[in-house]
């Protein structure tokens, strides 16, 4: 039996060395929005793997074997940071045996460093629910943040992969020009959404609200990370009588039961926003993400 | 048109020639013409200058518009730029990540726990004492974990287990490399051995209140070792990890020994991957080799006298483990399912001293014993999980050589079924209710009821798969 084991080990080692080494720069993106952004900036010179998809709650991910293998082979890690991935990323970093992606290295990119964080808590106490010390980490809902992160990512890509620095720079210029045009178009389209009162299921949209001037009137979760209870939902419904809202928003990964309940009782539409790339049919890339988001918001606002 | 002008001016000039009589007047006219010319040129120049100025102004206006648009977008972006001097967050900058696990237990046993035994399995009395359950209300183990990066090369920390009888034991205290090249990780110190699946997990993340019978019988609950571990992660897309350990082997199934070399060594390999986006799995095989010296156990001989025997020799423990996790779309928040099972098989051979404190009769010893468990845990609603575990041991065949006449060789298969329900209002708190039918001791069935709380505070520990 030991012979079988040693044979197995020998074969695995041989296979490991026989596995073709990829010529492309391997990117492990923690969330699909950063995977999409890196794809825009890298083109065919990068090979992107998304650790999570739009239907997963990024707070509740496990460091499963497939992610460990990808972390070991990655040349660069592109994540949000601000402790969004604290439940699983430290395990990936420690167990991967990969020096390139450790914190502080050019291969470790933290998007939250490049934007102004909202909802930074004044006190850190778990009695307040699942609060993030660095502020609300869901920065991808504001396209201006995407632009800022893109600038930082282009620079860091050039640092981590200097051979293709000029390529990343030219692709960034192209992306940035297209993004500015799209941004101006979205802002014009969304002008009617200013000052619209809304209800959200989870406090995942502060950056979207800041960009479009939406006013968050209530949240379905009594505290961040705590499931909506029927008493709290009744309270929210009561509050809407005095402070009406126009719609209730949730992300594609949120469970719809409480939103649908409120939508029915409060006679307002329940809107599912893709929240990140892949969250809906139309949100195939970053441009589609905001096109679809605005389309859904405007359709509900009618 | 130009030609006509020339012809016209030519005709005028020709007409002007016979009018030489009014030469003095034509000179005046010439002067007037010159003045008109001059005026015309002057006005033309001024018009041109005005046109130029107009053009310049228009250009300036349009570029001003462009600037305004840029300034607007820049201003809206300014709203999104990071505030200067925003402090970065980390798990206590430079201070280690401190976490405390609090746990308490109420247990109800129908049989007296003092009579707890695994019939057919010979564990040292000290180990049996640790495994023996307690009735009624009791504080379970509190754990203090302190971990931090030491420097760019190392990470380390420890886990104290604070027992309800006011003793403290070091469960783990180790350093490990971070980001050594080629997927290698080296760990040194005291740590839970990487064999199996459950062995590396701390008790507070277990899905049931107690360790499986197989772990109790062959590893004394959980095996930790003082030594060195090397793990290598293969550069493949499928997770393949191979590890090797050497260490002192002072804990059961080994014994403390005065030896320059290693008292225990382990070898393990794990394979894992995804099936679609909803499923993930991990499977592995492990081997733990120890060489116990004078490992004692208490037994009764056929006459009914209590005797203490000692085993010295080689012990090889083979383990196979597998775990399968399912969650819809990979989102474990609402519902998920986990299926887990391990098979352990131990082969021991060496020498046996029968009745150490009395006759001290030497003889040979060889035994092959095995055990397994299978458990499934299903989260059926956010916060609520239910689990079922079934397990069995096989005391197998034991050959005491010359001492066969003095020691009973019971062939018995301890078994246990457990059912649990737990409530997890957050990732940091858990309250569990567990029922079990325990047939570890031959001839008696223990019906057990447990109510347990497991909570953690402090830094958020990132859990393994």
């Amino acid at each position: 039996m030991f012979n079988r084991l040693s044979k197995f080990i020998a074969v695995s080692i041989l296979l490991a060395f026989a596995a073709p080494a990829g010529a492309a720069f391997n990117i492990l993106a923690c969330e699909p929005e950063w995977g999409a952004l890196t794809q825009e900036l890298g083109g065919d010179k990068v090979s992107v793997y998304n650790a999570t998809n739009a239907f997963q709650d990024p707070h509740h991910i496990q460091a499963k074997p497939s992610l460990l293998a990808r972390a070991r082979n990655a040349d660069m890690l592109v994540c949000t940071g601000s402790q969004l991935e604290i439940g699983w990323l430290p395990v990936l970093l420690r167990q991967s045996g990969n020096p390139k992606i450790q914190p502080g290295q050019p291969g470790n990119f933290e998007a939250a460093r490049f934007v102004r964080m909202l909802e930074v808590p004044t006190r850190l106490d778990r009695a307040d629910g699942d609060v993030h010390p660095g502020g609300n980490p869901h920065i991808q809902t504001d396209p201006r943040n995407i632009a800022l992160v893109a600038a930082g990512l282009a620079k860091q890509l050039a640092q981590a992969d200097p051979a293709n620095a000029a390529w990343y720079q030219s692709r960034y210029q192209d992306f940035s020009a297209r993004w500015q045009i799209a941004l101006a178009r979205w802002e014009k389209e969304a002008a009617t959404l200013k000052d619209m009162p809304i209800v959200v299921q989870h406090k995942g949209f502060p950056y979207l609200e800041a960009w479009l001037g939406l006013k968050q009137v209530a949240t379905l979760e009594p505290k961040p990370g705590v499931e909506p209870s029927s008493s709290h939902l009744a309270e929210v419904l009561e509050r809407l009588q005095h402070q009406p809202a126009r719609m209730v928003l949730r992300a594609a990964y949120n469970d719809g039961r409480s939103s649908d309940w409120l939508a029915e009782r409060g006679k307002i539409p329940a809107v599912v926003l893709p929240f990140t790339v892949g969250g809906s049919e139309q949100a195939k890339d970053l441009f589609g993400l905001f096109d679809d988001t605005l389309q859904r918001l405007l359709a509900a606002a009618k | 048109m130009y030609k006509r002008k020339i012809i016209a001016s030519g005709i005028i000039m020709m007409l002007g020639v016979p009018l030489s009589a009014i030469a003095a007047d034509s000179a005046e006219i010439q002067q007037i013409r010159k003045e008109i010319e001059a005026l015309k040129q002057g006005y033309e120049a001024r018009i041109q200058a005005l046109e130029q100025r107009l053009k310049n102004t228009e250009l300036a206006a349009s570029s001003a518009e462009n600037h305004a648009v840029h300034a607007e977008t820049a201003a809206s972006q300014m709203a999104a730029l990071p505030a200067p001097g925003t402090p970065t967050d980390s798990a206590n900058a430079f201070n280690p990540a401190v976490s405390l696990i609090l746990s308490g237990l109420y247990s109800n046993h129908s049989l007296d726990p003092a009579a707890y035994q695994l019939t057919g399995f010979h564990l040292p009395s000290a180990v049996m004492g640790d495994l023996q359950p307690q009735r009624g209300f009791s504080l379970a183990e509190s754990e203090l974990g302190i971990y931090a990066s030491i420097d760019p090369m190392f990470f380390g920390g420890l886990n104290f287990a604070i027992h309800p009888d006011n003793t403290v034991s070091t469960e783990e205290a180790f350093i490990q490399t971070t980001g050594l090249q080629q997927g290698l990780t080296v760990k040194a110190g005291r740590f839970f051995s990487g064999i199996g699946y459950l062995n590396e997990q701390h008790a507070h993340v277990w899905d049931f209140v107690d360790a499986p019978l197989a772990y109790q019988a062959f590893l004394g609950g959980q095996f930790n070792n003082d030594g060195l571990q090397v793990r290598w992660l293969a550069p493949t897309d499928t997770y393949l990890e191979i590890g090797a350990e050497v260490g002192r082997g002072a804990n059961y199934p080994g014994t403390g020994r005065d030896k320059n070399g290693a008292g225990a060594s382990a070898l393990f390999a794990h394979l894992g991957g995804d099936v679609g986006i909803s499923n993930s799995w991990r499977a592995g095989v492990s081997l733990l080799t120890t060489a116990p010296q004078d490992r004692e156990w208490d037994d009764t001989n056929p006459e009914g006298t209590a005797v203490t025997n000692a085993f010295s020799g080689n012990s090889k423990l083979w383990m196979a483990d597998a775990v399968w996790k399912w969650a819809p779309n990979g989102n474990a928040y609402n519902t998920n399912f986990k299926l887990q099972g391990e098979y352990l098989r131990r082969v021991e051979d060496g020498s046996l001293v029968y009745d150490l404190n009395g006759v001290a009769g030497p003889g040979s010893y060889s035994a092959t014993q095995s055990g397994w468990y299978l458990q499934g845990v299903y989260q059926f609603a956010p916060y609520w999980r239910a689990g079922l575990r079934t397990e069995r041991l096989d005391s197998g065949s034991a050959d005491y050589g010359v001492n066969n006449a003095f020691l009973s060789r019971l062939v018995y298969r301890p078994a246990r079924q457990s059912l649990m329900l737990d409530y997890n209002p957050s990732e940091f708190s858990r309250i569990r209710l567990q029922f079990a039918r325990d047939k570890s001791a031959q001839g008696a069935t223990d019906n057990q009821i447990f109510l347990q709380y497991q909570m953690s505070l402090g830094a958020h520990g990132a859990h393994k798969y």
Side-chain angles (χ1 to χ4, degrees), chain A residues 12 55-57 60 62 64-66 72-73 83 91 94-95 97 99 114-116 126 144 148 180 226-227 253, chain B residues 76-77 79-82 89 155 179-180 182-183 233 235-236 239-240 274 325 329-331 333 383 458 462 464:
Chain A
S12 329
F55 299 103
Q56 293 170 354
D57 189 336
H60 295 97
Q62 289 194 324
K64 49 187 188 168
S66 57
R72 185 251 191 268
N73 295 322
Q83 296 208 354
V91 176
R94 277 205 295 275
Q95 290 194 351
F114 296 90
V115 304
R116 189 167 70 92
R126 292 239 173 85
R144 302 170 302 179
L148 290 167
Q180 291 302 326
V226 179
E227 269 286 290
Y253 69 80
Chain B
S76 69
Q77 280 184 6
L81 268 174
D89 60 281
F155 168 85
L180 202 59
Q182 302 299 330
L233 198 48
T236 52
Y239 172 82
L240 169 64
D274 284 348
K325 295 193 185 185
N329 276 325
N331 186 6
Y333 184 72
Y383 305 161
K464 301 195 184 83

Side-chain angles (χ1 to χ4, degrees), chain B residues 375-453:
Chain B
Q375 70 186 48
V377 179
Y378 179 54
Q379 179 177 317
F380 53 90
Y383 305 161
W384 290 96
R385 305 186 321 156
L388 187 63
R389 177 174 68 185
T390 180
E391 46 191 333
R392 189 173 285 268
L393 296 178
D394 186 353
S395 54
S397 54
D399 185 2
Y400 302 129
V402 158
N403 289 314
N404 271 333
F406 306 122
L407 289 166
S408 53
R409 290 182 298 152
L410 292 165
V411 178
Y412 181 66
R413 294 190 171 168
R416 183 170 67 179
Q417 279 80 40
S418 315
L419 175 70
M420 80 93 184
L421 179 71
D422 66 28
Y423 173 61
N424 308 260
S426 73
E427 22 187 338
F428 310 107
S429 57
R430 167 174 292 164
I431 298 171
R432 174 180 291 144
L433 178 64
Q434 179 171 318
F435 301 99
R437 264 180 82 79
D438 191 350
K439 296 193 171 112
S440 321
Q442 189 173 34
T445 302
D446 187 19
N447 293 315
Q448 303 168 341
I449 305 173
F450 300 99
L451 185 62
Q452 174 195 47
Y453 69 82

Side-chain angles (χ1 to χ4, degrees), chain B residues 97-301:
Chain B
V98 182
S99 59
L100 182 63
I101 312 292
L102 298 167
S103 177
L105 183 64
Y106 166 77
S107 43
N108 186 313
H109 293 257
S110 61
L111 288 181
D112 186 0
Y116 182 71
Q117 58 162 298
L118 298 166
T119 307
F121 291 84
H122 313 307
L123 274 72
S125 53
V127 178
M128 280 311 289
D130 281 342
L131 295 172
Q132 187 182 301
Q134 250 189 342
R135 279 172 162 174
F137 291 96
S138 63
L139 183 68
E141 262 178 29
S142 315
E143 266 183 56
L144 184 65
I146 304 175
Y147 288 91
S149 288
I150 293 161
D151 61 20
M153 275 197 74
F154 296 103
F155 168 85
L158 59 63
N159 251 8
F160 273 142
I162 303 160
H163 304 280
D165 61 1
N166 296 333
T167 57
V168 179
S169 56
T170 317
E171 279 195 340
E172 290 197 300
F174 64 84
I175 52 128
Q176 73 173 62
T177 60
T178 45
L180 202 59
Q181 298 276 348
Q182 302 299 330
L184 284 169
T185 307
V186 178
K187 189 192 272 194
R190 175 172 298 178
F191 46 86
F192 286 126
S193 179
I195 54 174
Y197 175 71
L198 200 63
N199 196 59
E200 264 194 314
Q201 296 190 347
H202 284 247
H204 69 265
V205 299
W206 290 351
D207 293 317
F208 290 83
V209 171
D210 41 17
L213 291 179
Y215 269 62
Q216 290 182 22
F218 299 119
L219 296 169
Q222 213 170 1
F223 179 69
N224 60 2
N225 203 1
D226 299 349
L228 193 66
Q229 179 194 78
V230 178
R231 295 172 105 119
W232 176 69
L233 198 48
T236 52
D237 282 342
T238 305
Y239 172 82
L240 169 64
E241 182 189 56
I242 297 172
E245 285 171 20
V246 288
R248 189 175 187 79
N251 292 325
Y252 179 81
T255 52
R257 288 178 62 166
D258 183 16
K259 187 182 163 174
N260 273 334
S265 62
L267 204 59
F268 54 89
H270 298 126
L271 194 66
D274 284 348
V275 177
I277 50 169
S278 301
N279 303 291
S280 57
W281 61 274
R282 200 192 86 156
V285 289
S286 333
L287 169 65
L288 176 66
T289 311
T290 52
Q293 199 79 1
D294 298 323
R295 193 176 79 202
E296 297 177 10
W297 84 88
D298 298 330
D299 207 341
T300 37
N301 63 10

Side-chain angles (χ1 to χ4, degrees), chain B residues 76-92:
Chain B
S76 69
Q77 280 184 6
M78 279 302 278
L81 268 174
T86 317
T88 50
D89 60 281
S90 61
N92 310 332

